Amino acid sequence: MSKANRFVGSPVERLEDLRLLRGRGRFVDDLTAEGVLNAVILRSPVAHGIIKGIDTSAALAIPGVVAVLTAEEIGRPVPTIPIRLFASKLTEPLEQPCIADRKVRYVGEPVVLVIAESQAIAEDACDAVVLDIETLPPVVTREAAEKGQSLLFDELGTNRCARFTAIKGDADDAFRNAAYRRRERFGVHRHTAVFMEGRGLLAEWFEEEGKLVVQGGAKVPFATRKALSKQMNLPEDKIEVHEADTGGGFGSRGEFYPEDFLIPFAARYVGKPIKWVEDRREHLACSNHSRETEVEAEIACDKNGMVLGLRGTAFVDSGAYVRTNGLINPRNVSQFMSGPYHVPNINIVTDFYLSNKGPVGTYRGPGRYETDYVRERLFDMAANDLGIDRVEFRRRNLVREDQMPYQLPQIVETKSGDELDSGNYEVTLDQCLAEFKWAEKVEKYDGKLIDGRYHGLGLHCFIEGGAAGPKENARLVLEKSGNVSVYVGSSQVGQGVVTVLTQIAADALEMPMDKIAIFHGSTTGTKEGFGSFHSRSTVMGGSAIVVAAASLQKLMREAAGRRFNCAPGEVTLEDGKAQGPGGKSLTFAELAEEDISIEESFFNHKHTWAYGTHATHIAVDPQTGQVEVLEYVAVEDVGRMVNPLTLGGQAVGAIVQGLGGTFLEHLIYDGEGQLLTGTFADYLLPTAGDFPRIRAIMTGNYPSPINPLGVKGAGEGGIIPVGGIMANAIASALRSFNVQPLELPLSPPRIWKLIDDARPAEAAE
Amino acid sequence: MPTSKHRAVFEVNGKAVDIEVESRTTLSDCLRHQLRLTGTHVGCEHGVCGACTIIIDGAAVRSCLTLAVQADGSQITTVEGISFDEGLTPLQTAFRKHHALQCGFCTPGMLMTAHALLTENPDVDEEGIRHVLSGNICRCTGYIPIIQAVLEARAAYKKPENA
Ligand code: FES
Ligand code: FES
């Protein structure tokens, strides 16, 4: 935009806060409807088995129980959850049926849906249902998945459900001739988003109009509507999906889950509004899991530390089905291993395997947290082996500004590539080093035993993709009041999208923020919409607003021109007035006597790439294996900042989530496929005392060339480097033991054992 | 199994309440669904996340671990009761200024815990704030802005010097 920016770039306080701070949010469980009934789901207690019988008679006999539904009542074939991204003929049979039919494949899979007059009665009724399930051997480990003696889908003949091969140059040739090679095996554990408000839905069926209204949609309400339309055999215009306030998303909320069909279906079935809200145990067992990955990777360099190639094989656990966006994780592990570096030769094969555990989907920085962990660990090892400083090693290999746009590897199976758009990666590296006082701290702390603890430093360069296409819509209406209503297909997932889009619209229309109202997260606002994922709301939604604002202003000038009898070009729009030659003037409200509105789309097939560097200083207690994060500094360039306040907030939040995932959080299954971490007392999230010293510095120095705002998708990035940087800092702290943490999480027992195993066996006898 | 009903008489945000509750109904459910005070949130129902924190007779309490019948005879304050009619309290203003909320789901619990803490000890230091707030989980902010907001709000809770 060429116009003066009054709002874009300023730390505008959020509009959302005024309601939320006073207890006036409208989260889905806050909503109700006349005569509403409650739904509770009875879930499979076993990981793998054949359903022999379901006896619901005792449940139906309980007063207050309205309906008890199984696959039988819902009707076969039971609708399945469509795969939203990278769907293929191959993965279609692996879609999850919305209620288990004949077979169960993970603990927590819905088997029976109970509708009753209260939540408590519905829970009583679930207890009264008798399930007869013949158990099958569960597939829990990688070994069992690969062996395939027990299969999740007999028809498939294997548990492998997809492969993504990233190719660039000729990796084998590069490795053959390389002066230096190193191969290691890395593991990342299963953990996930775990947002604070459980998922929930309120569905209402309006018989006369044949219309379904669903509250509690999020992220991609239009995709949800499309899926429902097919499953319930209803035209899309007879379905409304609305978003309430949402208590966190992080990639997981708003994807299609079994309940997204079951609850609307039940509402039509019983002809009453139905509400369902999950509890924490259901959430931990049944919302999309993520991250479980094993990688054997190898790096090749010349003797000066120039990286010649990366190659390897990876295993990603899919859980029991292939869900909406689960294929993103293995794809990203393959495609983005080279990160912000120039790596001329790449060959990474990632296999996606089914197991009898919760199905996976994306979680903030999907596949990137995992693949970055592998790369940055290898880089530190290579630099160390070659006797090159780790900063220098990274500096030599970063993609340079004159190499942009820079081609990433091709994915063979999907025949798709990607390219880095713009930026100067070395500048953020240097800024981070300066902010952190890297050189000074290396000297003072790195690898030293101070106060009984080993101190270490870590550094990590990364990129963060954003702005997934194909398009986003914005509809602008000049209201009779002279204000402008902006309808967007983007969604609110707690990221302050209303504030950010208001800032953008106010600048684009040259109007004050309080004259603009944003409407989002509803399928009724725009003809179509694509939602909030892949850090796309600001870029795609924002750009759509910019495009539509120009068109709206054009319409306003034309309308004024007709009234003033002058050419549209002679009209100026300023201070809420249209002015023409000879002092003619109309307020926007007067102008709006004629209907003025426009819907426009912004198309984009390329991605934006924010980028940056993180640095950290940690201390390891050798007696306990406990790691304390003493300092953490993040620098990230996002092309152009719309709101530094919300952006910095998201970066810090993402880093703390990453620290949780790296040190604390773990979805642990036992050998029978039972989830052992089903409460917040077992699945540990970071608390206020854990990571107090984190700073995020966001910059907007290198605008993206591929959208009118110059912005790049951001908000996920903070999480991406955390696993790698922490393992590297620990390795650096413990260099006197010559140990390498290869497995996440970096829990105290694991670190303690590394140290203990490396100690000379003095007292052995 | 359906359980027996009991009468509970208490005060919420200065208003008298006289209701019948099932013995198994938690206070959080009673506030949210019977009294429609939905500002109090429920994030775990097992006493770990702190989203449901309210103030009962001056003490910060987890309403998911309290039965509604136990509230009989008490004075309760929820997030709806700390706000001025319009506008924000100094604690709320500090939350907004420091961007101490993103999704806002943990916020009522954070505000109530902080309000109880600052009412009792307006001189609490950063470590003390972190210690007390570590009973409330926030998944969005990373806590740093929340701590800053509570530190800043201390001033408003201090008693005037020579009162
Ligand atoms: S809901 Fe009460 S502590 Fe989590
Ligand atoms: S603001 Fe989302 S959980 Fe705290």
Side-chain angles (χ1 to χ4, degrees):
Chain A
M1 284 185 303
S2 54
K3 294 164 187 157
N5 287 295
R6 291 163 303 164
F7 302 111
V8 170
S10 349
V12 173
E13 289 183 2
R14 296 198 323 166
L15 305 166
E16 295 86 340
D17 294 355
L18 296 170
R19 285 183 308 110
L20 295 171
L21 281 163
R22 308 168 82 200
R24 296 181 189 173
R26 280 167 55 83
F27 295 88
V28 65
D29 192 34
D30 303 343
L31 309 177
T32 190
E34 186 66 34
V36 70
L37 301 172
N38 290 84
V40 172
I41 293 165
L42 176 64
R43 298 172 182 276
S44 175
V46 301
H48 199 190
I50 306 286
I51 300 172
K52 292 288 181 186
I54 304 174
D55 183 354
T56 60
S57 52
L60 278 164
I62 294 175
V65 172
V66 176
V68 180
L69 307 179
T70 68
E72 194 66 45
E73 287 75 27
I74 284 167
R76 298 188 167 95
V78 170
T80 58
I81 297 176
I83 296 174
R84 195 164 60 77
L85 298 162
F86 301 129
S88 74
K89 275 270 156 290
L90 269 157
T91 48
E92 210 172 276
L94 313 178
E95 291 176 359
Q96 175 169 5
C98 292
I99 197 156
D101 186 14
R102 300 189 178 99
K103 204 174 175 188
V104 289
R105 295 186 177 86
Y106 66 97
V107 170
E109 182 164 2
V111 182
V112 181
L113 175 69
V114 176
I115 311 295
E117 281 164 12
S118 77
Q119 173 90 11
I121 294 171
E123 282 171 15
D124 289 341
C126 276
D127 286 346
V129 172
V130 182
L131 292 183
D132 179 8
I133 300 178
E134 182 186 307
T135 59
L136 295 168
V139 176
V140 182
T141 61
R142 172 181 184 175
E143 211 192 340
E146 288 178 343
K147 257 205 190 126
Q149 271 167 350
S150 183
L151 293 176
L152 274 87
F153 292 85
D154 290 326
E155 325 72 274
L156 191 65
T158 166
N159 288 316
R160 199 184 87 191
C161 54
R163 168 173 281 188
F164 292 93
T165 309
I167 297 279
K168 185 176 175 183
D170 184 343
D172 288 344
D173 189 56
F175 274 82
R176 214 172 295 125
N177 302 313
Y180 169 83
R181 292 194 292 266
R182 181 161 178 170
R183 189 177 186 86
E184 293 287 350
R185 191 186 184 98
F186 300 93
V188 180
H189 60 299
R190 183 174 275 248
H191 60 283
T192 194
V194 191
F195 35 83
M196 288 311 295
E197 179 214 9
R199 291 185 301 112
L201 294 159
L202 173 63
E204 286 181 80
W205 174 250
F206 296 90
E207 182 65 39
E208 317 81 77
E209 302 148 77
K211 192 168 101 182
L212 175 71
V213 177
V214 181
Q215 310 272 353
K219 184 178 179 179
V220 286
F222 287 88
T224 299
R225 181 177 70 172
K226 189 164 164 218
L228 272 174
S229 151
K230 188 163 161 239
Q231 294 170 333
M232 295 191 50
N233 197 15
L234 272 173
E236 285 193 30
D237 62 6
K238 292 289 182 192
I239 304 176
E240 289 176 14
V241 179
H242 302 279
E243 195 180 64
D245 282 321
T246 49
F250 317 121
S252 169
R253 185 198 299 276
E255 289 299 332
F256 205 96
Y257 287 93
E259 300 82 8
D260 289 290
F261 163 75
L262 292 174
I263 305 307
F265 176 88
R268 184 172 66 178
Y269 188 87
V270 302
K272 289 263 179 66
I274 293 182
K275 182 150 104 174
W276 167 82
V277 177
E278 71 182 355
D279 67 21
R280 191 48 66 180
R281 201 173 105 114
E282 289 180 292
H283 177 84
L284 286 165
C286 308
S287 68
N288 285 340
H289 290 179
S290 212
R291 302 272 201 256
E292 187 175 355
T293 301
E294 272 181 53
V295 184
E296 260 195 83
E298 192 173 11
I299 185 170
C301 305
D302 70 12
K303 61 181 191 322
N304 298 320
M306 297 306 292
V307 177
L308 301 172
L310 284 169
R311 69 177 173 187
T313 54
F315 162 95
V316 176
D317 192 312
S318 160
Y321 297 95
V322 179
R323 273 200 187 152
T324 51
N325 61 8
L327 291 157
I328 294 285
N329 300 351
R331 196 282 305 255
N332 285 4
V333 168
S334 270
Q335 183 149 32
F336 301 118
M337 194 174 283
S338 56
Y341 302 100
H342 169 55
V343 179
N345 302 289
I346 294 172
N347 184 334
I348 312 281
V349 183
T350 302
D351 284 328
F352 201 35
Y353 274 92
L354 297 158
S355 71
N356 291 113
K357 294 179 280 189
V360 307
T362 62
Y363 167 38
R364 205 174 204 170
R368 304 169 192 275
Y369 171 93
E370 299 90 309
T371 209
D372 263 48
Y373 167 66
V374 170
R375 178 193 70 244
E376 293 286 311
R377 290 294 286 120
L378 284 172
F379 274 28
D380 259 24
M381 291 176 190
N384 201 34
D385 291 345
L386 290 165
I388 300 169
D389 177 72
R390 62 198 133 154
V391 175
E392 185 51 34
F393 185 92
R394 288 177 169 79
R395 190 187 298 283
R396 282 179 200 173
N397 287 292
L398 282 174
V399 172
R400 294 187 317 271
E401 203 176 354
D402 62 22
Q403 290 170 302
M404 300 286 180
Y406 179 82
Q407 290 298 319
L408 293 173
Q410 282 281 320
I411 295 291
V412 176
E413 292 76 8
T414 56
K415 298 190 184 61
S416 56
D418 215 327
E419 61 179 36
L420 303 179
D421 58 341
S422 64
N424 188 327
Y425 296 176
E426 202 177 350
V427 170
T428 53
L429 169 64
D430 283 324
Q431 193 181 347
C432 184
L433 294 172
E435 281 287 343
F436 184 83
K437 301 200 171 62
W438 175 266
E440 198 178 298
K441 289 200 169 110
V442 167
E443 190 69 16
K444 220 160 141 189
Y445 301 111
D446 201 33
K448 302 219 161 78
L449 182 63
I450 303 165
D451 296 340
R453 293 191 300 177
Y454 291 93
H455 288 237
L457 266 54
L459 181 82
H460 190 129
C461 301
F462 72 101
I463 48 172
E464 133 163 61
K471 67 179 203 171
E472 192 55 270
N473 287 24
R475 185 163 64 91
L476 269 50
V477 180
L478 182 65
E479 300 289 359
K480 302 288 172 232
S481 59
N483 293 357
V484 173
S485 296
V486 177
Y487 296 85
V488 281
S490 309
S491 307
Q492 166 87 302
V493 282
Q495 81 281 49
V497 77
V498 170
T499 310
V500 163
L501 295 182
T502 306
Q503 289 176 264
I504 291 172
D507 276 358
L509 293 162
E510 297 173 283
M511 287 170 72
M513 282 179 64
D514 62 6
K515 301 278 183 226
I516 309 252
I518 302 278
F519 297 89
H520 62 89
S522 161
T523 54
T524 54
T526 49
K527 286 194 212 95
E528 52 179 351
F530 297 84
S532 294
F533 58 93
H534 194 256
S535 298
R536 70 191 297 283
S537 312
T538 305
V539 183
M540 299 299 293
S543 297
I545 289 173
V546 171
V547 173
S551 303
L552 188 79
Q553 288 187 320
K554 182 161 171 277
L555 292 178
M556 287 163 73
R557 281 199 194 89
E558 285 167 3
R562 281 192 296 277
R563 308 259 288 265
F564 297 155
N565 263 325
C566 71
E570 293 174 89
V571 177
T572 58
L573 303 171
E574 224 175 311
D575 295 331
K577 285 198 268 314
Q579 282 167 317
K584 286 184 191 145
S585 168
L586 281 171
T587 63
F588 287 176
E590 287 162 341
L591 205 56
E593 280 159 19
E594 163 180 354
D595 285 343
I596 300 180
S597 73
I598 182 86
E599 179 158 350
E600 292 275 18
S601 306
F602 175 68
F603 293 87
N604 177 24
H605 292 284
K606 292 184 174 176
H607 293 148
T608 60
W609 297 91
Y611 57 90
T613 302
H614 290 189
T616 192
H617 172 195
I618 57 108
V620 185
D621 183 340
Q623 306 301 322
T624 61
Q626 181 77 37
V627 177
E628 187 184 354
V629 180
L630 297 170
E631 192 179 357
Y632 198 112
V633 173
V635 176
E636 183 172 353
D637 194 280
V638 299
R640 179 149 173 248
M641 282 190 281
V642 178
N643 189 328
L645 188 66
T646 59
L647 199 59
Q650 284 203 51
V652 170
I655 291 165
V656 172
Q657 274 186 350
L659 290 165
T662 301
F663 289 112
L664 303 167
E665 301 170 35
H666 194 176
L667 290 159
I668 303 172
Y669 281 86
D670 72 6
E672 295 302 313
Q674 292 292 339
L675 180 66
L676 301 180
T677 50
T679 74
F680 276 162
D682 313 292
Y683 187 91
L684 302 180
L685 295 170
T687 62
D690 291 334
F691 305 112
R693 281 174 289 273
I694 299 167
R695 277 191 296 146
I697 297 145
M698 310 305 278
T699 60
N701 295 330
Y702 292 86
S704 174
I706 65 172
N707 65 69
L709 283 161
V711 293
K712 296 181 173 187
E716 304 187 58
I719 208 168
I720 294 169
V722 183
I725 199 172
M726 286 299 147
N728 276 338
I730 291 167
S732 199
L734 300 178
R735 66 177 60 166
S736 54
F737 296 91
N738 194 24
V739 296
Q740 293 293 351
L742 300 173
E743 296 270 322
L744 298 179
L746 301 166
S747 57
R750 183 168 274 150
I751 302 301
W752 179 84
K753 191 164 183 319
L754 272 181
I755 299 171
D756 197 56
D757 288 350
R759 280 199 172 108
E762 322 134 76
E765 65 277 31
Chain B
M1 290 301 105
T3 52
S4 59
K5 296 231 177 183
H6 305 265
R7 184 173 168 211
V9 181
F10 49 90
E11 213 176 79
V12 182
N13 302 330
K15 286 200 194 90
V17 172
D18 185 344
I19 49 166
E20 287 242 297
V21 291
E22 264 191 63
S23 42
R24 64 180 175 183
T25 302
T26 61
L27 184 53
S28 52
D29 278 354
C30 169
L31 290 168
R32 291 181 47 76
H33 301 306
Q34 269 179 272
L35 302 175
R36 297 293 303 151
L37 289 168
T38 54
T40 300
H41 293 162
V42 169
C44 72
E45 291 175 283
H46 50 255
V48 183
C49 77
C52 65
T53 305
I54 58 173
I55 296 175
I56 304 183
D57 298 332
V61 168
R62 309 205 153 196
S63 59
C64 75
L65 294 185
T66 309
L67 293 171
V69 286
Q70 290 175 282
D72 192 52
S74 63
Q75 285 193 338
I76 295 176
T77 310
T78 68
V79 69
E80 290 93 341
I82 60 163
S83 307
F84 301 142
D85 278 350
E86 290 309 320
L88 303 176
T89 68
L91 180 62
Q92 290 166 326
T93 303
F95 263 62
R96 184 170 189 227
K97 174 174 155 198
H98 290 281
H99 191 33
L101 63 157
Q102 287 181 30
C103 77
F105 193 76
C106 70
T107 311
M110 289 285 178
L111 289 171
M112 298 316 285
T113 305
H115 181 62
L117 170 65
L118 296 182
T119 305
E120 193 184 306
N121 180 11
D123 297 314
V124 60
D125 63 3
E126 174 171 345
E127 210 185 299
I129 295 171
R130 281 195 181 271
H131 180 72
V132 171
L133 286 186
S134 69
N136 289 59
I137 297 175
C138 174
R139 191 52 162 165
C140 301
T141 64
Y143 304 102
I144 289 167
I146 296 178
I147 305 298
Q148 287 167 345
V150 178
L151 277 169
E152 180 169 308
R154 286 181 308 185
Y157 285 82
K158 291 195 182 148
K159 303 223 166 43
E161 280 298 300
N162 36 16

